[in-house]
Amino acid sequence: MSSSLSKFSKNESSVQKKNHNTVSSDNIAVKNKGMGKLERNRVIMSWTFVIIPTFFILLFYFYPMVQAFWLSLHTGAGVNLTFTGFDNYRRLFSDQAFIAALTNTFIFLVFQIPLMIILALVFSVILNQKTLKLKGIFRTLVFLPSITSLVAYSLVFRYLFSNNGIVNQILMGINLIDSPVLWLGDPFWARVLIIIAITWRWTGYNMIFYLSALQNVSPSIYEAARIDGASAVQQFFKITIPMLRPVILFTSITSTIGTLQLFDEPMNLTGGGPGNATTTLSQYIYNLSFQFTPNFGYASAVSYTIVVFVVILSAIQFRLGRERK
Amino acid sequence: MKNQETMKKVFMYSFLILTSVMFFFPFYFLIISITNPSIDITRGRLLPGTHFIENFRTMIETSLLSRAVINSTIVSFGQTILSIFVSSLAGYGFEVHKSRGKEIVYNMVLLSMMIPFAALMVPLFRLFGTISEVAPIFGIDTLFGVILPYVSTAFLIFFFRQNTKMFPKELLEAGRIDGLSELGLFLKIYMPTMKTTYAAAGIVTFMGAWNNFLWPLVILQSPRNFTVPLVISAMGSGYLIDFGAVMIAIFFTTIPTAIIFFVLQKHFVAGMVGSIK
């Protein structure tokens, strides 16, 4: 993973420039070396294998990205677009709904991801113990949420956490609260609910990555630490976390990118409400394009903010991960 | 010392049991709820009832779920077969016939992993609007339209390339001597040898396709074309919600993924973590 990522970032800038030069030099090289006709056919075939999928990626990823930028400089509904320069981007700063969506997305990012990653690490360490009984069952139970569809589990959670729903009943039954928590009606609790829901859905998923990485950590390292008198907590911070750093990095990047695009849960669990309390950037883009009077230009400007964040955050996380080596 | 050990064990097992109950609780609630009437579900009844058949009937009568199951099956199988074929072609091409030019193309392909789908939905929708004018069966409100953007993905290409590193290249030499073409080598030697990689990639892709929500929501317009998540989402946000019917719909559409998970657990995990090795 880490080697491929470093390749990935190194060549980022040179990708576009060199692209067609090398394609042609490749074929020339083949001719010059005087390879047989058969061998040349093979090289041509191997390029065909590669070019078809690449064409789809150009068509469905890169071309739309360019289109989105072009769109973001325009305004108007449907096909009647007029050029407005960077007006859409300027508008972002005074758009309360956008600022709310941005804030919400970052609240989820800052609180949910560390919570989930720590929880997943704790589970993986506990469930990796050789002497633990019923390991398989515990693992399966923690992982099981990961097979559910986001829409389905969001709806189930909506019923679980309704005002007179079972969660409130249980919390009142054990005297933790006096009156029902308005999970769906109170801005604070609605956000907490989204965080609980995502954590339920994704902790087991991340745990699997840590478990498979832990299998490559030699038990003798822990043995040596125990002999030196290291406590379980010390072992966790001094051995487990450093050993798993590349995987933790990988999962935090994928989780960050996932959370920046959060859509299914707020859409089906809270409806983005109450008010705008749980609306995310993705949902705002969707609303701008397909729910309200379509404004593709402005929606594209909003979507470019996500692109910028994905790029910046991935870069930061990658940098941090490399520095601590 | 021994006392401390026991305490630690007790603490650990109580933690595991408590959290496992919390992780399983929504499933329990779902399974119980399919047998209860709507009113009991909102009240959070935790015991099985006798309303299963009525719930089932309501679901069949009031929703387009059976149609959606057919649509989702077409989309999921179509997307899985197409995308693992196309992406494995690329993985093979990049890894077996390495060249500087291909590395550059490969890095560009990887770069597309950074593009968030949220940023693509508007321009993709417009692109499919254009496609609709040229070839309506691939355009907006078609199942092909749901599949097309996922036919080739950077993730799958990366996954296949990583796994191809372990592929014994001598097999290809043998095939070349037998006079197989490059496509022949791919179809007759590479694909059968890489069965487990295909299984892992196939499962992950299938699950993703079966559960995909945002893109189908954008591109599909008529309810008869809806996939399962769209129908369930619509059922859950109507004016008169029958919770029993929603629960039973969720239950039956989660079963396929549960079966895939339990039967093919090994491949499933391989598909998830295989890409980071």
Side-chain angles (χ1 to χ4, degrees):
Chain A
M1 186 63 209
S2 61
S3 68
S4 69
L5 263 184
S6 68
K7 250 193 270 165
F8 184 33
S9 64
K10 230 191 318 183
N11 288 322
E12 242 170 59
S13 54
S14 57
V15 166
Q16 247 90 12
K17 268 184 282 169
K18 287 186 191 164
N19 200 359
H20 31 297
N21 290 345
T22 331
V23 173
S24 50
S25 69
D26 207 80
N27 292 338
I28 292 163
V30 170
K31 273 177 207 156
N32 287 351
K33 275 177 201 159
M35 287 184 189
K37 196 181 160 210
L38 216 67
E39 194 52 32
R40 203 162 64 224
N41 279 344
R42 288 195 191 285
V43 171
I44 292 166
M45 261 326 263
S46 78
W47 269 103
T48 320
F49 284 7
V50 168
I51 288 302
I52 295 167
T54 307
F55 166 76
F56 278 107
I57 286 188
L58 284 174
L59 181 64
F60 292 124
Y61 290 83
F62 288 103
Y63 168 70
M65 277 312 288
V66 177
Q67 255 262 313
F69 185 69
W70 180 86
L71 269 173
S72 75
L73 304 177
H74 290 74
T75 189
V79 282
N80 303 315
L81 296 167
T82 43
F83 184 79
T84 57
F86 286 93
D87 275 4
N88 282 329
Y89 290 95
R90 238 167 271 141
R91 187 177 148 191
L92 290 174
F93 293 98
S94 54
D95 178 359
Q96 289 308 315
F98 168 73
I99 292 167
L102 188 67
T103 315
N104 294 333
T105 306
F106 272 83
I107 289 174
F108 298 145
L109 210 64
V110 170
F111 291 101
Q112 196 272 328
I113 293 178
L115 174 73
M116 175 184 68
I117 287 181
I118 292 168
L119 205 57
L121 276 168
V122 170
F123 275 121
S124 63
V125 170
I126 294 178
L127 295 178
N128 195 43
Q129 289 169 317
K130 293 256 160 7
T131 51
L132 190 81
K133 292 192 178 69
L134 304 174
K135 213 165 18 189
I137 292 176
F138 287 129
R139 279 185 194 179
T140 308
L141 286 176
V142 177
F143 182 74
L144 210 53
S146 309
I147 67 160
T148 60
S149 100
L150 303 182
V151 174
Y153 99 85
S154 298
L155 286 175
V156 173
F157 266 63
R158 197 160 87 195
Y159 306 148
L160 284 172
F161 285 82
S162 64
N163 288 348
N164 48 5
I166 186 67
V167 171
N168 272 332
Q169 285 178 37
I170 292 173
L171 290 177
M172 277 156 71
I174 57 173
N175 285 325
L176 222 58
I177 50 169
D178 297 327
S179 54
V181 173
L182 300 179
W183 294 102
L184 299 163
D186 179 86
F188 174 78
W189 291 112
R191 289 180 184 138
V192 173
L193 175 56
I194 294 271
I195 290 173
I196 293 175
I198 308 171
T199 308
W200 179 83
R201 171 65 172 73
W202 293 99
T203 299
Y205 179 85
N206 287 295
M207 177 191 74
I208 294 294
F209 288 94
Y210 303 146
L211 271 174
S212 88
L214 276 175
Q215 256 137 44
N216 302 328
V217 179
S218 155
S220 61
I221 299 177
Y222 288 99
E223 198 59 49
R226 249 195 306 275
I227 292 165
D228 288 346
S231 70
V233 178
Q234 278 174 322
Q235 287 174 34
F236 181 75
F237 284 106
K238 295 272 162 71
I239 302 175
T240 309
I241 290 189
M243 289 298 261
L244 296 191
R245 220 201 56 246
V247 193
I248 295 174
L249 178 70
F250 171 79
T251 51
S252 48
I253 290 178
T254 49
S255 305
T256 304
I257 295 175
T259 306
L260 278 169
Q261 305 186 62
L262 198 64
F263 179 81
D264 299 18
E265 286 90 346
M267 192 77 176
N268 290 292
L269 180 50
T270 59
N276 276 332
T278 55
T279 308
T280 56
L281 287 172
S282 286
Q283 204 182 0
Y284 189 48
I285 296 170
Y286 177 79
N287 289 342
L288 281 172
S289 319
F290 306 108
Q291 295 292 99
F292 312 151
T293 325
N295 189 342
F296 288 158
Y298 187 55
S300 298
V302 176
S303 68
Y304 253 86
T305 61
I306 300 192
V307 177
V308 170
F309 285 126
V310 167
V311 172
I312 292 176
L313 285 167
S314 306
I316 291 174
Q317 276 177 322
F318 181 65
R319 179 58 58 87
L320 284 177
R322 199 157 49 172
E323 266 169 17
R324 287 200 207 114
K325 216 170 231 174
Chain B
M1 189 67 192
K2 201 172 173 220
N3 220 338
Q4 208 187 347
E5 267 313 279
T6 336
M7 276 292 290
K8 233 164 90 184
K9 266 214 174 112
V10 170
F11 180 77
M12 201 173 69
Y13 278 102
S14 354
F15 172 77
L16 281 179
I17 289 166
L18 188 72
T19 46
S20 299
V21 167
M22 278 157 73
F23 276 102
F24 189 70
F25 188 71
F27 290 102
Y28 175 78
F29 184 68
L30 172 65
I31 295 164
I32 288 299
S33 294
I34 62 173
T35 65
N36 281 321
S38 198
I39 183 87
D40 279 345
I41 295 168
T42 54
R43 284 187 196 136
R45 187 183 147 98
L46 289 180
L47 294 169
T50 53
H51 224 257
F52 179 77
I53 304 210
E54 284 90 333
N55 283 342
F56 195 81
R57 199 174 295 141
T58 321
M59 176 196 79
I60 296 293
E61 281 165 8
T62 60
S63 78
L64 281 163
L65 194 79
S66 38
R67 178 77 207 204
V69 169
I70 297 171
N71 292 336
S72 270
T73 309
I74 295 171
V75 165
S76 305
F77 276 104
Q79 184 179 321
T80 305
I81 293 167
L82 273 174
S83 68
I84 63 175
F85 182 74
V86 171
S87 304
S88 62
L89 266 181
Y92 174 91
F94 281 125
E95 185 59 28
V96 173
H97 297 271
K98 284 187 198 148
S99 74
R100 250 180 69 80
K102 285 203 196 74
E103 287 308 312
I104 289 163
V105 176
Y106 181 65
N107 280 303
M108 191 196 67
V109 166
L110 285 189
L111 201 61
S112 74
M113 273 205 240
M114 297 265 266
I115 299 176
F117 188 81
L120 291 175
M121 67 175 138
V122 171
L124 265 186
F125 179 73
R126 281 174 51 103
L127 175 65
F128 276 88
T130 316
I131 294 174
S132 283
E133 285 162 21
V134 188
I137 59 154
F138 294 110
I140 289 171
D141 204 19
T142 65
L143 297 182
F144 269 122
V146 177
I147 297 174
L148 269 180
Y150 300 97
V151 162
S152 168
T153 66
F155 170 76
L156 278 178
I157 294 174
F158 176 68
F159 182 74
F160 273 104
R161 182 172 184 178
Q162 288 302 97
N163 281 287
T164 306
K165 291 191 162 108
M166 258 96 81
F167 175 74
K169 309 262 168 11
E170 309 80 60
L171 288 179
L172 296 177
E173 279 314 313
R176 281 193 188 117
I177 292 163
D178 288 348
L180 281 175
S181 70
E182 208 51 37
L183 193 63
L185 291 175
F186 178 80
L187 294 174
K188 296 203 179 113
I189 296 178
Y190 179 83
M191 285 181 81
T193 319
M194 299 293 283
K195 256 189 298 209
T196 53
T197 303
Y198 276 96
I203 291 163
V204 172
T205 311
F206 187 90
M207 300 277 268
W210 183 263
N211 292 334
N212 195 7
F213 179 58
L214 179 50
W215 176 239
L217 182 68
V218 167
I219 198 170
L220 295 177
Q221 289 164 343
S222 33
R224 69 189 161 77
N225 287 334
F226 277 8
T227 55
V228 166
L230 298 193
V231 167
I232 289 180
S233 176
M235 283 172 85
S237 57
Y239 289 106
L240 280 169
I241 304 173
D242 187 293
F243 298 109
V246 178
M247 287 301 208
I248 221 161
I250 291 174
F251 179 77
F252 279 111
T253 54
T254 306
I255 286 181
T257 55
I259 291 175
I260 290 175
F261 169 67
F262 282 111
V263 175
L264 302 165
Q265 206 162 356
K266 233 193 191 158
H267 295 300
F268 190 89
V269 172
M272 271 178 59
V273 299
S275 56
I276 62 164
K277 277 192 176 150

